[in-house]
Amino acid sequence: MGTIHRSGVYRKTNDSARLIIVTIVGVAFGFFVGISFPAVTFTKIHIHSSFTSSLDMSIVNQNEFRRSKSLETLGSGSNVTNIYVPTNPRGAELLPPGIVVAESDFYLRRLWGEPSEDMLKKPKYLLTFTVGYDQRNNINAAVKKFSDDFQILLFHYDGRTSEWDQFEWSKSAIHVSVMRQTKWWYAKRFLHPDIVGAYEYIFIWDEDLGVEHFNGEKYIQLVKKHGLEISQPGLEPNNGLTWQMTKRRGDREVHNFVEIMAPVFSREAWRCVWHMIQNDLVHGWGLDFALRRCVEPAHEKIGVVDSQWIIHQVIPSLGSQGKSEKGKAPWEGVRARCRNEWSLFRSRLADAEQAYISQTKKG
């Protein structure tokens, strides 16, 4: 019995020693294994630059895709309010009225700064001349008769524009150059009523007018005083009269009739007159006898301002822009064209009126 007891105690002691030894060996092994590898920190992860570039590009592309899809959705109309405003100008019916700008102007703008600060003063009237460089001194004298309330616009029929910058006012003027054209050709193409709608009055003048007895501001005052929608200054009786009706009368401020030499239109009257100008009848002959159709009552709204008068210098400068044919001088061909246009205009107007009368009778 005693032998068996001692044997069991001995085996138990050996097992405990073995466990302690294994534990110590395991710890030692783990320690040596641990110190054999470099330290690893998980506070930062270093990624190759090519991978980060790809990642950044992926993010950018994804953002662009989302933006393009957003614009695509906007363009498709899914997020756009359905608008149709029949009172908007033709062609702009699909726009909200608040964004529609139906008229323009000849105001010069800066390329920098706030748009609202571009103009210290906006011209109220538009003064146009159809000019050749040879008449520069005459035009310079005429421009000086007008204040800075007038925007200056020169139509150049001889192609010479930069030379006009010898005059300081020319640097802020508008210059339009097309060779060998008349003022009514220019007016039809560059003075659309929606372009000149910013101006209360539009002057469409020849280049050979003497203005010694004229003042632009005083003229405007008289036009407004008498309620004239279509007007012109009186013409000096002894120089270059086309019609006796336009001759200056010394006993009054205003009398009736206007010709095409130096007309002045209110913007309302010009809207009508512009539509009456024919594209191919460039001299405007006969137009003066039809102006009464654009204002009512004509005998009150059309007039010659006698107390502000001009002198027609009768310089046939535009006639020299013609072409000699069949042995005739250039000016003779121009004059023949003028007379023919007058006949054509009268015929067209009479035919249009007759067609209207016939149509209304059928209706």
Side-chain angles (χ1 to χ4, degrees):
M1 295 291 293
T3 303
I4 296 172
H5 175 74
R6 284 194 301 270
S7 175
V9 172
Y10 178 76
R11 283 197 302 270
K12 186 174 183 180
T13 301
N14 288 341
D15 289 341
S16 297
R18 189 181 297 113
L19 178 61
I20 292 172
I21 293 171
V22 169
T23 301
I24 293 172
V25 171
V27 171
F29 179 78
F31 172 77
F32 285 111
V33 170
I35 65 174
S36 66
F37 290 95
V40 178
T41 176
F42 291 96
T43 56
K44 291 184 179 180
I45 301 178
H46 299 280
I47 305 175
H48 195 276
S49 60
S50 63
F51 180 78
T52 58
S53 298
S54 300
L55 182 62
D56 290 342
M57 186 61 68
S58 176
I59 294 172
V60 170
N61 289 340
Q62 191 173 21
N63 289 339
E64 287 294 327
F65 175 76
R66 289 172 180 168
R67 180 174 176 272
S68 64
K69 290 298 289 183
S70 176
L71 291 175
E72 182 181 334
T73 303
L74 180 63
S76 68
S78 60
N79 292 330
V80 177
T81 304
N82 290 326
I83 294 175
Y84 187 83
V85 185
T87 55
N88 277 357
R90 187 177 66 177
E93 294 87 354
L94 301 182
L95 298 176
I99 199 63
V100 174
V101 181
E103 296 180 346
S104 190
D105 53 62
F106 290 111
Y107 301 153
L108 297 177
R109 298 286 181 174
R110 304 177 301 176
L111 304 184
W112 64 93
E114 289 294 326
S116 60
E117 299 174 357
D118 284 347
M119 305 289 297
L120 298 178
K121 182 178 181 180
K122 292 183 178 181
K124 296 187 290 185
Y125 319 113
L126 181 64
L127 173 63
T128 76
F129 292 98
T130 299
V131 302
Y133 186 64
D134 290 344
Q135 300 304 316
R136 60 191 178 279
N137 292 325
N138 195 57
I139 295 299
N140 182 49
V143 168
K144 291 179 179 178
K145 293 290 185 172
F146 296 86
S147 71
D148 58 2
D149 280 330
F150 291 80
Q151 172 72 62
I152 309 300
L153 168 57
L154 299 186
F155 296 123
H156 299 268
Y157 60 75
D158 62 354
R160 301 176 68 179
T161 58
S162 58
E163 295 96 327
W164 286 81
D165 280 353
Q166 65 181 281
F167 305 116
E168 191 62 31
W169 56 263
S170 175
K171 298 174 183 178
S172 60
I174 306 299
H175 297 265
V176 176
S177 179
V178 183
M179 293 290 290
R180 294 185 177 85
Q181 299 302 322
T182 71
K183 71 176 182 181
W184 299 109
W185 185 93
Y186 290 112
K188 185 66 174 179
R189 287 150 183 84
F190 297 101
L191 300 182
H192 187 281
D194 290 342
I195 297 296
V196 300
Y199 307 100
E200 295 179 36
Y201 294 94
I202 301 98
F203 291 61
I204 304 179
W205 280 21
D206 288 354
E207 63 180 337
D208 59 343
L209 304 176
V211 293
E212 291 82 1
H213 308 287
F214 180 86
N215 179 279
E217 290 292 343
K218 292 180 178 179
Y219 182 85
I220 291 292
Q221 291 173 8
L222 289 168
V223 165
K224 292 181 176 181
K225 173 183 176 181
H226 293 277
L228 299 178
E229 299 289 330
I230 301 175
S231 65
Q232 72 163 74
L235 286 173
E236 174 61 40
N238 301 319
N239 293 81
L241 282 176
T242 303
W243 305 108
Q244 288 294 318
M245 292 175 285
T246 61
K247 181 173 64 175
R248 180 177 72 90
R249 299 180 184 178
D251 59 345
R252 63 188 69 187
E253 286 185 333
V254 171
H255 75 275
N256 197 243
F257 193 74
V258 167
E259 65 169 319
I260 61 173
M261 184 189 305
V264 179
F265 303 94
S266 71
R267 60 182 155 215
E268 293 80 11
W270 177 245
R271 185 169 291 276
C272 173
V273 173
W274 183 88
H275 284 89
M276 191 164 51
I277 299 171
Q278 307 291 289
N279 284 324
D280 58 334
L281 306 185
V282 296
H283 290 287
W285 278 37
L287 191 62
D288 35 17
F289 288 97
L291 295 177
R292 58 186 174 82
R293 296 174 178 271
C294 285
V295 291
E296 292 182 343
H299 68 278
E300 294 181 3
K301 301 294 185 180
I302 297 178
V304 175
V305 179
D306 293 292
S307 59
Q308 291 291 314
W309 75 93
I310 58 177
I311 298 173
H312 186 202
Q313 298 172 338
V314 198
I315 300 173
S317 51
L318 190 58
S320 64
Q321 299 294 309
K323 182 179 179 180
S324 179
E325 291 182 339
K326 299 179 181 179
K328 294 183 179 180
W331 69 266
E332 291 181 287
V334 172
R335 182 53 60 92
R337 168 81 180 240
C338 290
R339 295 194 181 98
N340 184 45
E341 286 192 7
W342 189 2
S343 176
L344 288 171
F345 181 77
R346 284 185 298 176
S347 297
R348 290 181 189 181
L349 187 56
D351 291 345
E353 189 168 30
Q354 187 57 49
Y356 172 79
I357 294 172
S358 299
Q359 186 64 35
T360 55
K361 287 182 178 179
K362 291 179 182 179

